[in-house]
Amino acid sequence: MPQYKAPLNEVFFLLNDVFGLKSLQSLPSFSDLSADLVEQILIQAAKLCEETLAPLNASGDRIGCVRDAGGRVVAPPNFKAAYRAFAEGGWVGLPVPEEYGGQGLPYTLSMLIDEFASSANMALAMYPGLTQGALAALLRHGTQQQKLLYAPKLAQGRWTGTMNLTEPQCGTDLGLLTTKALPRADGSFSITGQKIFISAGEHDLTENIIHLVLARIEGAPAGVKGISLFIVPKILVNENGELGARNTVSCGAIEEKMGIHGNATCVMNYDGAQGFLLGEANRGLNAMFVMMNEARLGVAVQGLAQSEVAYQNAVSYAKDRLQGRALTGVKNPDKNADPIIVHPDVRRMLLEIKSFNEPARALAFSAAIDSDIVHHSSDPQARLAAEDRLGLLTPVMKGVFTDIGFENCVKAQQVYGGHGYVREWGMEQFVRDARIAMIYEGANGIQAIDLVGRKLPRENGRAVMAFFKDAGDILSLHANNALMNDYVLPVQESLDHLQKATVWLMNNAISNPDNAGAASYDYMHLFGRVALGVMWVKIAHAALVKKAQQTELTQVMDSKLLIGKFYMERMLPETAYRLIRISSGAVTMMSMPVEMF
Amino acid sequence: MPQYKAPLNEVFFLLNDVFGLKSLQSLPSFSDLSADLVEQILIQAAKLCEETLAPLNASGDRIGCVRDAGGRVVAPPNFKAAYRAFAEGGWVGLPVPEEYGGQGLPYTLSMLIDEFASSANMALAMYPGLTQGALAALLRHGTQQQKLLYAPKLAQGRWTGTMNLTEPQCGTDLGLLTTKALPRADGSFSITGQKIFISAGEHDLTENIIHLVLARIEGAPAGVKGISLFIVPKILVNENGELGARNTVSCGAIEEKMGIHGNATCVMNYDGAQGFLLGEANRGLNAMFVMMNEARLGVAVQGLAQSEVAYQNAVSYAKDRLQGRALTGVKNPDKNADPIIVHPDVRRMLLEIKSFNEPARALAFSAAIDSDIVHHSSDPQARLAAEDRLGLLTPVMKGVFTDIGFENCVKAQQVYGGHGYVREWGMEQFVRDARIAMIYEGANGIQAIDLVGRKLPRENGRAVMAFFKDAGDILSLHANNALMNDYVLPVQESLDHLQKATVWLMNNAISNPDNAGAASYDYMHLFGRVALGVMWVKIAHAALVKKAQQTELTQVMDSKLLIGKFYMERMLPETAYRLIRISSGAVTMMSMPVEMF
């Protein structure tokens, strides 16, 4: 069975050496955040994820969720107790303000813990993950009364949340949705329609579930401008907070799917269910986007999380499995074969994974700090800049982390040879679970078009220009440090590719929008490679500093410098190829007649 | 449920226009092969695969194989009847000489039909596929008596075959195998040991199973030079061909695995089972390699086959699914959304798949012709050249086709969005099934090292030099045809990258073998991209000729030219990136201390 250890040392290095705790302490809400407290929180979370969540991952996959004829859904054995431990630890509402039942701690911490939980048990971690998304929308758009009624129970994990967008005829294109909301005399609405692919739509982990549902108020305009967001509790909540009547919402079926079997993917039937408008009428997409942006970061972290746990197990197997001899001579003379980690191609696979995991965690960390700045900084300029960065990088992270996270699971599985294909070793589950992250919360092609079609042009490219400036500043900062040449020079070259690609888009996408669509996926990946490269520059510099300070860490820091160099030599040069693909434009693909495919 | 139509038109185009039937007719055994006969055979095979095999693919996956306490294994419902139809059609032994119960037809035809069968139902197609491998070894290394006793039943599909290499402690490194063979007084052997991951090791499709088993004769040298190959029938066969006593070989367990559930992956226990030496003692690996090379080509075709069927379904979904509007304006004004095939990024995914499938089929075709030349040509020079090509290209095809085949299934699944993740649509099964092809018959990393470490240096690089010459000749042939510039020039550039990479290996691998290991995977993929590019040159030229001859095919041929151009613009330029990776060498990856991974 696979093992998992939370990468605490990596996280502490990012926190203390790469970004510094001061990046959080400088925000008024967190000025008294101590290194000790942060360390304790992370150690406790790691322990829970390792000891309580991880052991249920394989059995959760094998047994899955079961729906009975009455529409009740039972989560896999022991999920309820594990979930309760997670909720009672205060982990669900970590970043929620204390007045709404949370801990008032930085989102950055919450995101780090999300990674641990997703590595340990992705299907189980989705229950609090979706709740966090629902909380974000509720706290941003809810009335004070709504917030007080729902948020504390959600933040304490006593209830969970869901998001209901998709319908059979309507996935990406939300303008097509037909779920109806009829006004009732008391100001609430009757919601009727069918939603599909609703993660955690029904389960037995908590006594109530708060569904956030997109629907169309009778008479609303067609398309996306006529969509509103509703709070639809599974069990209605009285004004005093007590549970009342069962609402007319039910789980009609659960999907049989490739993975994440521990989390029921539900068909939800709303049959005149009572719902409460959240935010403004006909502005539901805006409200939902708050939830979705948060959720997209969370999904990006799932990609990293699966890559991390798959990596850990592949390393362990590569050290244990004896097979063949090193090309340069016997390494293990006492045994009849060497461990396969002596083979260059096995190292290649492992380093391709690890050279992603480290900067991806750094990038997620940096995005989480930006999220904390957006919510807590008193400086409007800083908030705006952070919001720009977050807007720009969220689709990049969601698309790139989940694509590469999946590929990395496939690579880690490959290290096991035939053993990777059989269920017993657990590697194939990581592959199956990781696959969904490329699809949900907006398939990765949608992330790419969000990046190129919306995030880039916004405010005349303000966000991307700021990204170029920041990246350029970091490179300039280290330009005269010869020890940094191995990192600065390749990133400079790839940044140049990204800038060329951006100029190409500016010059070609307006005349023909298909050029934007045809370039979008490669542009997203080009952006991701560069953004990860910039993180490597930061990590490499922090490693050099640390090494000079604490010589007992020399080997650890040297290994970071090596992995970074591997990234520069083998992963980053992909940017030139992406630029060629982007510049090839849309003509060839759009010339194909539909019937000739 | 997914649909499948055998790509008959593609195959006829390859047969008639790209390679020409004369490439087979020029071999003495096939001089009277008529276009009509070939066409009829392929049409019949297509019909069987589409109508009988394909409908059982999803249910075979869902129900899988079941083993009872007595070790009997039952294949999924209706597999037996479908297998029998396949066997009775004469498809198993198509290329086997008539004196051994086959049809005496070209292997090329057999390989084309293998693709159809694997697309329709990979798990089911593995039963005859493994039989074909066993037949190859038997016909090459068996005594006349052995051939007459076993081959006709195998060729007629009345029995199936297996190959037994892997043991728990020994996968890639066959030198570690411990299964024992004790000589008996009658000249046969008692085989004792455990084999794992034995595909089709036990089932109820046929009355007998002929296991080919690697074992070590008592007193044989250690390592790979002490391994022999044995015929171990499940039920012993009397000299008159009748079935005798049950042999002491049994299925101890079947693996729960990621996919190919319709084919039992067995733990096989040999408990003093009677076995018969096949070929020379201690030369078992040589005999097994015959089987393995054939099997590797078969696995390459599985990669293509899954890519093809996944593509067909993704295209169909992309034409049907209405979601969003084209970036350049409404294409489907009568409906409230356009089919998603209008979106550039959906076309990108589809064309990435199709721009591989067409040249991959051509390359497989060309390898199959080489196999026919090796077995049937009367010209020793031609046989040698074909053997060189086949030796060189088999690991390339196995590694590249299965890697890209899997990636293509993932892309095709992505076209479906959330629907791709649920079992009902069948796309996730293609992904799970395709995954094994990257692992079995030598994991793809092993293919890469076989290519770089064995196939390249053999006879001072004779095979690779011949490849460069052949490729250069084709490019020269079309160098003055302006209509071919879009194909010839990019392939010339990428061929140059391959040549540079080859020179780099020559200069760096001898001084440090780790450089070969570190470069091998990228070299294999670089080679694959170039070989597929050369196939595109052939296809493009054939399309231009055809278009000039038959104007009613203009649109079909123009679409081929477009897809080829897409390959040149977007897929082939990867070669520059691969060259950079190769040239970066082994130093960085080998410097990482094991404990720092």
Side-chain angles (χ1 to χ4, degrees), chain B residues 22 58-59 104 143 240 282 320 431 567 577 590:
Chain B
K22 65 181 183 315
S59 58
T143 62
N240 60 8
N282 299 337
D320 285 350
V431 173
Y567 183 86
Y577 173 42
M590 299 316 287

Side-chain angles (χ1 to χ4, degrees), chain B residues 325-342:
Chain B
R325 289 296 190 186
L327 295 168
T328 49
V330 171
K331 295 283 183 293
N332 197 12
D334 302 342
K335 293 282 173 62
N336 57 4
D338 291 335
I340 61 172
I341 202 165
V342 303

